Amino acid sequence: MTGSIVQLSISPGGIPKRSILTGVVEELGLVGDDHAHPQFHGGPKQALLLITSEGIEELVAAGFPLYPGALGENITTKGLDRRQWRIGQRWWLGESVLIELTKMRTPCNTLSPYGRGIQAAVYDDKVKANDPTSPRWALSGMYAKVIRSGAVSPGDEIRLAEPEAQR
């Protein structure tokens, strides 16, 4: 599976996150990104939040006024099937950054400005039970920890790591 980075996004805390031209990924995520509620967000196991641009397009078609960065993601992807994302998968971002998917993002009331019912549109009981057969699988985004730091830019390739990098 391969795709690309559409946008890198950071904020001083909260949503939306704003686009940056290039980024450095370190253990705690993109340099310059912060969290309004560190008791719930951030940390090594939730260093990055990934969301697909195709998922954003689905939500826009459902009537939610979204765009890359609106949902608080750090990395907006293109060309990846979110339904194939699994906890424990490792992905290369560009040439040097290696990440591991750690958990599904549970949507909170912070997303409410984008419309009534957005939380239910991106998350259901199947997602909560880690069932990838849900049509909402990974619409809310997937958190990742950083295995190897480095620089990334929009347009960089994202590819599933070969089995030797999976562990």
Side-chain angles (χ1 to χ4, degrees):
M1 286 190 283
T2 62
S4 62
I5 295 173
V6 173
Q7 182 170 302
L8 301 171
S9 304
I10 63 172
S11 78
I15 62 168
K17 292 190 182 283
R18 65 175 173 80
S19 175
I20 57 173
L21 297 177
T22 189
V24 174
V25 176
E26 295 182 343
E27 180 186 9
L28 294 177
L30 272 172
V31 172
D33 190 44
D34 207 352
H35 308 283
H37 304 284
Q39 70 273 30
F40 302 115
H41 304 289
K45 290 187 178 184
Q46 296 180 157
L48 297 168
L49 179 62
L50 288 79
I51 291 181
T52 66
S53 60
E54 294 85 355
I56 292 170
E57 290 167 8
E58 287 178 51
L59 293 166
V60 167
F64 297 102
L66 300 174
Y67 49 88
L71 293 173
E73 76 273 18
N74 302 110
I75 299 173
T76 311
T77 70
K78 182 177 184 178
L80 297 179
D81 183 354
R82 64 180 169 77
R83 293 172 187 94
Q84 300 301 314
W85 286 358
R86 299 293 183 271
I87 293 167
Q89 283 179 336
R90 288 187 174 188
W91 291 83
W92 287 104
L93 308 179
E95 295 300 316
S96 62
V97 176
L98 182 63
I99 63 169
E100 181 178 317
L101 301 181
T102 57
K103 70 181 265 189
M104 191 69 61
R105 183 251 204 111
T106 304
C108 63
N109 288 334
T110 301
L111 301 182
S112 294
Y114 297 116
R116 184 179 188 94
I118 192 165
Q119 292 87 353
V122 300
Y123 196 84
D124 62 13
D125 287 339
K126 281 186 171 185
V127 174
K128 185 176 182 179
N130 287 316
D131 181 350
T133 65
S134 169
R136 293 176 177 91
W137 183 257
L139 265 177
S140 63
M142 186 79 82
Y143 284 114
K145 68 180 178 180
V146 178
I147 305 300
R148 185 182 297 166
S149 300
V152 291
S153 297
D156 283 355
E157 181 181 64
I158 300 177
R159 67 190 181 286
L160 189 61
E162 296 296 323
E164 66 271 7
Q166 289 296 334
R167 287 286 161 231

